[in-house]
Amino acid sequence: MRTIFLLISAILLFTVHDVICQNRTISGIVIDKRESSPISGAKVALEGSDEGVATDLEGKFSLSIPSRATTLVASLVGYLTRKVNISNAKRGYITIALVASKNELEVVMVSTDRGVQRTFINTPLPIDNFTVKDLQSTGQLTFDAALQYRVPSFNSVMTPVNEATSLLNPYELRNMGPSRTLILINGKRKNLSSLVYTRPSPGRGETGADLSAIPMDAIKRVEILRDGASAQYGSDAIAGVMNIILKDNFDAHSLRLTTGISKKGDGFNYGINYNGGVNLPKNGFINYHVSLNKEGRMVRNARVSLEGETYYNNGLVYDKNHNDTVQQQVISRVADFLKKYPDAKNQNSSADNTTARFLINMGIPLRDNIQLYSNMAFVYRKSLSLASYRVPYWKQDYGLLHTPTPYGINHLPVFRFKTDVNGNLLRDPMGKRIFIDQDPLYNDYLGYQPTFEGVLNDYNATVGILITLKNGWKQDISFTIGGNKMLFTVNNTVNHSLGKNSPISFKPGGFSFRHIVGNVDISKQLSKKIFLGFGSEFRTETWQEIAGDTASYYGEGADSFPGFSSNSAVVASRYNIGAYLDLGFDISKSIYLGITGRTEHYRDFGSASVGKFSARYILPNEKLVIRASLSNGFRAPTLAQQYLSLNQSSYGNTNTAVKLANSSSSELAILQIPKLKAEKSINLTGGIGFYPNPNITLTLDYYYIDIKDRIVYSHDVNKPLNRDSNPELYDLMDKVGLPNISFFINGVHTKTSGVDLVASYRNITVGSQVLNLNVAGNFTIYNKLIGVPKVPEPIKNAGVKIFTATEEALMLTSRPKFKFIVGGDLVFRKWSLNLNNTIFGPTFYSNKNLADYDDASKGISRLNDLQVTFSTRVLTDIALSIKISSHATVSLTASNIFNAVPKWKFKAISPQGEAMLKAGTDGRDGTSLKQLSNALTFNNRYPNTTYDASQFSQFGTTYLAQLIYKF
């Protein structure tokens, strides 16, 4: 908090005076220049200010402004922003004519700018729009984190163990996974990340664009289309489309300084964000952004369970009842360590991040009817995260990471049991365990902390030319490039297969993705009632898996993050070409019909043709709109899903590596896993828009999404320890030549339906203040599996499942059942107060660790008996903004002011589960709920989130102070 107060003091010193002036009122009307018809919902604001009003149903507005003000800015999605000089406005009244731009993305939004209409009522699809101020008021540091608290159907989550996800968090729209939401920048496709999420958390097996790379200060507004849009945009748009519109016309130079900290006193962060530019003749502009942001680590440690650490099947002891004297000594030694270090020196933490961003957006008129436009962005991010701490009684370092002392304390078990390189217990010819005397090498040895360092480079650039001919034809020709590269470093760890010859720093490799996109879009308003648009897109993509150094992948690989082997390294590429046709018919003033068709050809999997039909009917009183759309779509498998190959490592007393094989491998040929093909979808949307008066809006939209051949990351297929338990599987894995394997497959058919609500009540007079209220929500009616998952014949014959309850829950129920954002803002002259409540509904997991204590001989499978559910939680944020001078605004945001943290519990899904919850133990084998809790939380290292994920961050209350200075 001291940092925040110092910042405020600096602001007050920096602001020498406050210019106080007399206000005047200006009113007028905003019209469509071509049709001369009034435009409702347009924003009219003073240049250089975020304060403004929305035009009413008749296009009229009234705005109080300083008497010296000379320029107003009028804007609306679908129209070019216009600046108007009001110095000579007669009797304080002015008419503003807006020119329709080329079709901008129709969208859905969830927050409000003061006096700005949040929801577009008269469009054939759910449309919403929100501004950079909405994002900044959340108190979140990145664009994706801010969306979490502004868009009910958008979810993003931090996993408890970060690794590569410290560079990119999984996100999704409408429970569809990150790869089914298309991200555009100024209407052009943004490149994907090179990373595939492989942890058992939401978004597993998928990838998406890096939203955190986009600087919030460079954004003018964000548009989200909550409807399938493959017919308009091609692949990746099954759930919807997010279009980020960058700042264009230059209002003023701005400097935004931020600093923040958590309630616990950690997670210190700061940011320096600068926006500049210049306006050019004939509405030309150059707008640029540069920023540096630093985020410190937040740590939420917990007391580690001695019972969990010393349970008989974890490799330390081998007698369930601990009857052996040696085993009692082992437990005593572990207890001594945990008494001194109750958290086992583990850090349940976020990552340290340093991010630098640069972005430029420009429009340069070449002639009255020709404009050259371009935008370019580059992001550099360096991240440092911590793996689970390697305690001395589980992992040794061969003297490489510590300095022993002659008489130091030895925390290793009193006797260590001899194992092979795979950690399997060795026995003598009589079947007895082989003990090894204590090694003085480990005097004063306390274990070691592996670190994961990632470096990310993400870039995108577009250059294009927009030509408007005198006969009304518009031609938009553009060229876009983009890329994402991640390289990793693992330090302070060892490769146990190399023993004392192991290095302690490894370069495990990384990933790279780049694309090149060419677009030609041609359109014309053929008449007042008919619109025609058509065009084509050509795209090439290249994805690369970069091999690590040999030591990082040799044998067991680097402990905590094995490297990518030279055999796995690959460079894969493809191209696709598509064409579309778009027709719009204003059959009458009330009825609109739209038809869109698209066909695409991909080199790797073939062709796809899709279409969309949309309609809108405005009732005669123009206060109620009925709208609907029906479309089919597709999603091409990403190159990463087709070619990724790696070893996944899990941590315990022994390491377990699981081979993820790519679609061209010989192993998958033996298993008869087919090549990946495109997913196919059907989307249906229907809803209403209600606009009883200029200050009240409400939209309610139903959606239905049916996806066939959905690509999934399979469950592990494991070779049995002995042939007798499953001869078919044993022989099959013998042919494969691996102890275990996983893969991608077009495996399931899902159906999802839900409802989106957006409502607002603006300009409520409360004394001399103005109150704006808003409610936005998403409710999932169902998200379910249809039929039986597809299983290749050899695996099916062996009686093995590749899509278990764990994968099903991650795909279908790991996102909130519902999410609502309820809040408002109170505005009074130079200050405003914003209050938001985000209600996260329950989520349900079938964590694979529930099976840790299963007894197959007794037919016990607790994934059939129990689930983990995270309870509904409410997070309350409050933000105060004060305009302390004509140039400076300061704001203070407290996020999650009641310090809510995720809470989970067991849920019974069978009679056996009900009995276990009632008794606290499983009567079939004596397993307790405490033991299962230890399995889920890694012996209480991650008590709030389990080892998988939760609906929101576990770090509680945070504070952020911001200074915005315009000049």
Side-chain angles (χ1 to χ4, degrees), residues 490-755:
V490 178
N491 286 323
N492 203 53
T493 189
V494 297
N495 183 334
H496 292 289
S497 296
L498 295 172
K500 64 182 180 180
N501 297 317
S502 171
I504 60 174
S505 180
F506 303 85
K507 298 289 185 181
F511 305 108
S512 175
F513 175 85
R514 62 183 183 272
H515 74 182
I516 300 173
V517 188
N519 291 96
V520 176
D521 300 289
I522 300 171
S523 64
K524 182 179 181 180
Q525 191 72 40
L526 299 177
S527 68
K528 290 185 177 181
K529 295 183 178 295
I530 301 175
F531 169 84
L532 170 66
F534 58 92
S536 180
E537 177 179 283
F538 179 82
R539 185 166 83 251
T540 65
E541 296 176 324
T542 301
W543 181 84
Q544 181 180 8
E545 181 173 346
I546 303 167
D549 58 51
T550 304
S552 72
Y553 62 81
Y554 174 80
E556 194 174 297
D559 184 28
S560 80
F561 195 90
F564 311 132
S565 74
S566 55
N567 292 333
S568 299
V570 66
V571 178
S573 62
R574 70 179 177 194
Y575 69 84
N576 71 285
I577 187 167
Y580 72 91
L581 176 66
D582 187 10
L583 290 168
F585 303 93
D586 283 293
I587 295 175
S588 68
K589 185 178 179 180
S590 300
I591 300 175
Y592 169 85
L593 297 176
I595 302 173
T596 304
R598 186 182 187 95
T599 184
E600 292 219 24
H601 176 75
Y602 280 74
R603 187 188 70 174
D604 50 353
F605 77 84
S607 300
S609 296
V610 293
K612 184 171 187 174
F613 174 81
S614 58
R616 179 216 62 205
Y617 175 68
I618 304 176
L619 271 65
N621 61 9
E622 297 189 351
K623 294 184 178 181
L624 184 66
V625 174
I626 302 172
R627 59 195 180 195
S629 71
L630 175 65
S631 64
N632 68 323
F634 75 100
R635 185 185 79 84
T638 63
L639 289 172
Q641 287 177 323
Q642 296 181 73
Y643 294 99
L644 176 65
S645 178
L646 47 79
N647 288 325
Q648 289 290 98
S649 178
S650 62
Y651 167 52
N653 189 42
T654 60
N655 270 11
T656 302
V658 178
K659 169 76 172 181
L660 171 64
N662 67 42
S663 60
S664 59
S665 68
S666 58
E667 294 93 343
L668 294 198
I670 295 171
L671 295 174
Q672 297 182 22
I673 309 298
K675 298 282 188 181
L676 293 179
K677 59 184 178 180
E679 300 175 348
K680 298 176 182 177
S681 70
I682 295 175
N683 291 68
L684 172 66
T685 299
I688 61 170
F690 183 52
Y691 194 10
N693 65 55
N695 293 319
I696 299 176
T697 61
L698 181 148
T699 63
L700 185 66
D701 292 279
Y702 167 82
Y703 61 89
Y704 167 86
I705 306 171
D706 183 319
I707 304 179
K708 293 181 179 179
D709 296 322
R710 189 162 173 173
I711 298 171
V712 297
Y713 185 169
S714 79
H715 191 73
D716 305 337
V717 179
N718 299 304
K719 184 178 181 179
L721 294 177
N722 58 76
R723 190 176 185 279
D724 293 340
S725 61
N726 189 331
E728 292 84 358
L729 181 58
Y730 190 94
D731 293 342
L732 179 62
M733 295 303 291
D734 249 0
K735 293 179 183 177
V736 171
L738 294 170
N740 41 55
I741 194 169
S742 61
F743 45 84
F744 288 97
I745 186 172
N746 293 95
V748 298
H749 176 192
T750 63
K751 290 185 178 181
T752 304
S753 74
V755 177

Side-chain angles (χ1 to χ4, degrees), residues 308-439:
E309 296 288 276
T310 57
Y311 184 66
Y312 79 100
N313 70 350
N314 69 8
L316 278 180
V317 294
Y318 294 87
D319 180 356
K320 188 173 184 178
N321 298 315
H322 297 165
N323 291 326
D324 191 306
T325 302
V326 172
Q327 293 175 103
Q328 290 294 338
Q329 292 176 315
V330 169
I331 294 170
S332 176
R333 187 59 61 86
V334 175
D336 289 343
F337 180 82
L338 292 181
K339 184 177 180 179
K340 188 173 183 180
Y341 305 103
D343 56 13
K345 296 180 69 67
N346 190 68
Q347 293 201 40
N348 176 15
S349 66
S350 62
D352 290 292
N353 275 308
T354 301
T355 307
R357 300 178 178 91
F358 174 77
L359 184 146
I360 186 168
N361 184 36
M362 65 181 72
I364 303 174
L366 303 180
R367 294 183 183 177
D368 290 342
N369 63 334
I370 302 177
Q371 184 186 51
L372 176 70
Y373 63 87
S374 180
N375 63 79
M376 292 165 277
F378 178 78
V379 176
Y380 171 86
R381 181 181 299 119
K382 187 172 184 178
S383 176
L384 172 65
S385 63
L386 305 179
S388 298
Y389 188 84
R390 271 49 182 172
V391 289
Y393 44 84
W394 274 351
K395 294 290 184 181
Q396 285 75 57
D397 70 349
Y398 314 101
L400 299 173
L401 299 172
H402 79 286
T403 302
T405 58
Y407 306 104
I409 297 175
N410 193 313
H411 290 286
L412 265 65
V414 177
F415 290 100
R416 290 184 296 140
F417 306 130
K418 193 169 184 178
T419 61
D420 61 20
V421 294
N422 296 318
N424 299 313
L425 186 67
L426 296 178
R427 295 179 181 271
D428 64 20
M430 302 298 293
K432 295 182 179 180
R433 294 163 293 185
I434 303 173
F435 299 135
I436 308 175
D437 290 334
Q438 282 184 255
D439 190 338

